[in-house]
Amino acid sequence: MDEAANDLKLALQNDCESLPIDIEVHQKSNSTAKKEDVKSSVLKLLNRHNVIFGDYKWTEFDDHFLTNNVQSIAIVDTELKLKERQPISLHKCSLSIRIFHLNEEGPSTENLEAEDEDIVAANHWVLPTVEFHGLWDSLIYDAEVKSNLLDYVTTTLLFSDKNVDSNLISWNRVVLLHGPPGTGKTSLCKALAQKLTIRLSHRYLYGQLVEINSHSLFSKWFSESGKLVTKMFQKIQALIDDKDALVFVLIDEVESLTAARSAVRAGTEPSDAIRVVNAVLTQIDQIKRYPNVVILTTSNITEKIDMAFVDRADIKQYIGPPSAAAIFKIYLSCLEELMKCQIIYPRQQLLTLRELEMIGYLENDVSKLSLILKAISRKSEGLSGRVLRKLPFLAHALYIQSPNVTMTTFLQALSLVVDKQFEERAKLANSV
């Protein structure tokens, strides 16, 4: 089925002229240059680079205007559009240039009154924000998780623009990411909101991300949680009313809100609990009519979610532990960072899995280190993305403790720390 879907996408994009290439231009915070002038200078730069191989970023420029006004120019997400790495002619593709400033203010809080006490009901970011910059690229998944999520929102906007009758064809603007803890579900929601704000900057001036604090909203003040839900969504409605804003509502661990009705039927929760779920469902049904809102939800325990909520989710995407191939990419990004910071020194060439495959996994002086990394990746299967990102730090802390180290020595330490993780996991399991 996945192969057939890939073939269909390739058939639709086999004409390079129809292939859209996304270019993100990070304008400096102190720059007051007009977007039209920035775009013109960016196009001049791109005209000097006819063919590219995958994603690419410029951070230094020989153009005085770009140096003064632009932090970076990045060709992004090409791997989401192409099944395999291949040369791309920029002159023949459709270029989508998105110019953006990063908001540097950080999150604010949304407070609600409950029984004469204010509670922090949500965190609120104006997007794109410095806090989420680079987050999308750092999240590595198998299959087409990112691509599917971006395509979903694109279709949502298209159907709204074309005034498709939602009574005949239904969509609710709700995404549910589910899977075990530590797989990056919440981070992916935040990264998706940031990415879409930039990608749709020609339609919306900025984004708004409201992360609802489920636990504070629905535990201590449970007796009036139904009212608090309504109050919270009234605040969100005020944001949606601004047509210049693309609004994202993030409900983390959504099972804490929507498990109530099954608990009521089992007699383990008070009848007030059902009001919480009804309030959530009612509010979702009300705001889904607006074209500029997307509801992002996550869950670690999907079997506890109320089915009425699950049915409202247009996409139910499983986010599991990464495969050996994804682990290899995660480790590769970590090692590149350590080489850039000269903790691993001297710099060593590491081949990608695709490049290893092209040489038939033959061991030589160039491929030796990459093959070692591949073996470490394979034995790391079962570890979450959250754990994997910590392992290079732990490898250095436990086995190296030197300002700089060779790649060979670091890979030995990384292998040892992977073994240690599984040993500690086994000990914990035995003690329980």
Side-chain angles (χ1 to χ4, degrees), residues 12 29 31 39 61 171 174 226-227 315 322 358 378 382 400 422:
L12 290 170
S29 57
S31 169
K39 183 175 181 179
F61 312 100
W171 69 100
V174 178
K227 295 177 182 176
I315 285 187
M358 289 174 67
R378 190 167 60 247
I400 297 172
F422 284 106

Side-chain angles (χ1 to χ4, degrees), residues 76-283:
V76 299
D77 298 329
T78 56
E79 76 282 359
L80 302 184
K81 301 181 176 72
L82 298 170
K83 194 172 183 179
E84 59 185 42
R85 187 178 171 90
Q86 63 187 65
I88 303 169
S89 174
L90 292 179
H91 292 173
K92 294 181 180 179
C93 296
S94 171
L95 304 183
S96 297
I97 299 174
R98 310 301 183 206
I99 302 166
F100 64 93
H101 285 91
L102 288 176
N103 177 36
E104 300 178 353
E105 293 182 3
S108 58
T109 58
E110 297 288 349
N111 298 329
L112 297 177
E113 288 186 9
E115 304 221 350
D116 300 324
E117 182 179 344
D118 279 354
I119 63 169
V120 178
N123 290 318
H124 179 194
W125 288 267
V126 177
L127 303 177
T129 175
V130 169
E131 189 171 340
F132 303 152
H133 188 52
L135 184 57
W136 178 263
D137 295 326
S138 73
L139 297 169
I140 297 171
Y141 296 101
D142 301 299
E144 296 183 332
V145 173
K146 289 180 173 179
S147 177
N148 289 343
L149 292 172
L150 289 172
D151 291 345
Y152 159 71
V153 178
T154 301
T155 297
T156 295
L157 290 167
L158 173 66
F159 276 41
S160 296
D161 288 345
K162 298 296 185 180
N163 295 316
V164 174
D165 190 339
S166 59
N167 293 315
L168 298 175
I169 299 177
S170 173
W171 69 100
N172 294 312
R173 308 180 186 279
V174 178
V175 174
L176 172 61
L177 304 184
H178 62 96
T183 51
K185 297 182 295 297
T186 304
S187 295
L188 181 55
C189 287
K190 292 176 178 177
L192 178 64
Q194 176 100 336
K195 169 65 69 172
L196 288 167
T197 298
I198 294 171
R199 181 168 286 196
L200 299 172
S201 59
H202 61 294
R203 300 181 51 137
Y204 301 102
L205 295 181
Y206 54 91
Q208 304 268 15
L209 173 62
V210 179
E211 181 182 20
I212 294 177
N213 189 338
S214 307
H215 295 292
S216 68
L217 200 58
F218 305 101
S219 55
K220 184 176 180 181
W221 306 110
F222 204 82
S223 61
E224 58 177 275
S225 288
K227 295 177 182 176
L228 289 176
V229 170
T230 302
K231 287 181 181 178
M232 184 68 252
F233 276 89
Q234 284 173 349
K235 287 179 174 282
I236 293 169
Q237 180 65 60
L239 300 177
I240 295 170
D241 287 339
D242 181 357
K243 303 307 178 187
D244 289 330
L246 181 58
V247 180
F248 300 90
V249 180
L250 171 55
I251 308 176
D252 207 12
E253 297 182 20
V254 73
E255 66 269 12
S256 64
L257 312 190
T258 58
R261 294 206 291 200
S262 60
V264 170
R265 288 192 290 270
T268 57
E269 291 287 357
S271 58
D272 286 329
I274 201 167
R275 297 193 185 100
V276 177
V277 184
N278 288 339
V280 171
L281 298 178
T282 298
Q283 295 302 323

